[in-house]
Amino acid sequence: MDAQVQAFFDADTSTISYVLFEGGGGECAIVDPVLDYDPRSGRTSTASADRVIAFVRSRGLKLSWLLETHAHADHLSAAPYLRRQLGGTIAIGEGIRAVQGAFKTVFNLEPEFRLDGSQFGHLFAPDEVFHVGRLRMRALHVPGHTPADTAYALESEAGEARLVFVGDTLFMPDVGSARCDFPGGDARALYRSVHRLLALPPQTRLFMCHDYPPDGRAPDWETTVAAQRAKNIHLHDGIDEETFVAMRQRRDVTLAMPALMLPAIQVNIRAGELPPSESNGVCYLKIPVNAL
């Protein structure tokens, strides 16, 4: 199996989307696609998604999966747009139901909004195996940042991980780990999830969903288990659970809310679809006032 990965970096949200595909054509999966959104005007656009579409078409690939690692708080998902253009099934971990339940109350969503995850084409059970053409994949439940976080591992036929799209579970070694103060977040769960990833073979390639590089470093998004264990500033070998949890909790209370969290979450728990249009034909996003 000749698996290849093409990354697409969105500078506005520091998000990296990916196309995983079989070399020489065949099927592909798109991971964490971005819909461009201007919060000043409330307008969406598809320049970022169109770059991905152009790549898929240029390689003659068939899209089988649109994989969300979680309900993102920093960008709107372009999955529905990509599905309309290329086909494929939008999928996420089954923990999305807990996230939907928490945020339906926050946004006082319409009574018809379902809390069963049925907005998505498929919900992965923990450790579920699926395929992208001949490529064997496994959905790893890695909660902590949110209850729904899922990493997607490419495995050999013997079941050994070769590469993993980790979502927001980990950042590059000099950035550390994801916050855990969103509804349903849990620093202890994140520590255990990360250590599940760090128990994979040292050479396993890890692909980040975001990069917020320190001054002087260009954005980067690929590392290895060995590099994370040696150099991750929050989770290198020797950091125990109590030390990590105390650090993560101290740090989280100092962090501002992500700039696009309020529009992004209420779209992404709908699998990237906008809320239903109102009687005037216009779609509206809600901004809770003095509620968070």
Side-chain angles (χ1 to χ4, degrees):
M1 294 181 296
D2 182 17
Q4 298 186 36
V5 176
Q6 178 66 43
F8 297 84
F9 179 67
D10 176 58
D12 289 340
T13 64
S14 298
T15 302
I16 304 96
S17 306
Y18 299 96
V19 179
L20 170 70
F21 61 103
E22 299 175 289
E27 296 191 24
C28 71
I30 296 173
V31 183
D32 292 334
V34 173
L35 180 70
D36 303 307
Y37 175 73
D38 180 359
R40 294 165 296 186
S41 66
R43 298 197 69 87
T44 63
S45 59
T46 60
S48 295
D50 288 337
R51 290 170 56 211
V52 178
I53 291 170
F55 177 82
V56 170
R57 288 177 172 163
S58 73
R59 294 297 184 100
L61 302 173
K62 178 183 177 182
L63 180 61
S64 53
W65 293 97
L66 290 147
L67 303 174
E68 301 285 4
T69 55
H70 61 295
H72 304 275
D74 36 47
H75 69 269
L76 281 64
S77 172
Y81 174 71
L82 290 165
R83 181 184 58 192
R84 290 191 291 271
Q85 298 295 316
L86 299 172
T89 299
I90 302 174
I92 199 168
E94 62 185 19
I96 189 61
R97 297 168 180 148
V99 179
Q100 290 176 325
F103 282 102
K104 180 174 184 177
T105 301
V106 169
F107 293 110
N108 194 30
L109 299 180
E110 68 276 8
E112 298 78 19
F113 180 80
R114 300 181 302 278
L115 303 179
D116 59 2
S118 58
Q119 298 85 351
F120 296 82
H122 186 80
L123 300 182
F124 288 113
D127 293 319
E128 182 175 342
V129 173
F130 63 105
H131 288 82
V132 177
R134 295 168 297 161
L135 305 178
R136 173 189 167 99
M137 305 291 296
R138 186 180 299 273
L140 307 175
H141 186 215
V142 285
H145 175 58
T146 80
D149 278 63
T150 299
Y152 298 105
L154 170 69
E155 296 184 337
S156 69
E157 289 303 318
E160 181 176 272
R162 298 170 58 194
L163 63 85
V164 185
F165 300 99
V166 302
D168 280 11
T169 305
L170 275 170
F171 295 144
M172 293 298 288
D174 58 356
V175 179
S177 60
R179 65 195 297 167
C180 298
D181 59 335
F182 296 157
D186 184 330
R188 292 187 184 279
L190 182 64
Y191 182 88
R192 295 164 190 172
S193 293
V194 167
H195 277 267
R196 181 181 185 190
L197 297 176
L198 298 186
L200 296 173
Q203 70 276 14
T204 305
R205 301 164 69 193
L206 303 178
F207 291 91
M208 310 296 107
C209 182
H210 299 284
D211 189 35
Y212 309 102
D215 290 342
R217 176 169 73 73
D220 196 8
W221 42 81
E222 181 180 351
T223 183
T224 64
V225 167
Q228 292 283 15
R229 292 185 61 172
K231 299 178 181 179
N232 187 285
I233 60 173
H234 297 163
L235 287 154
H236 61 76
D237 285 354
I239 299 292
D240 63 32
E241 183 173 323
E242 295 302 325
T243 301
F244 172 77
V245 169
M247 177 282 301
R248 191 68 263 169
Q249 292 175 344
R250 285 195 307 269
R251 179 169 172 76
D252 285 351
V253 298
T254 71
L255 299 177
M257 183 179 292
L260 295 185
M261 178 172 175
L262 294 178
I265 288 290
Q266 57 191 298
V267 169
N268 293 339
I269 60 175
R270 301 176 186 271
E273 297 286 359
L274 298 176
S277 298
E278 299 195 8
S279 59
N280 60 356
V282 176
C283 169
Y284 292 89
L285 297 171
K286 292 185 174 183
I287 304 297
V289 178
N290 298 328
L292 295 173

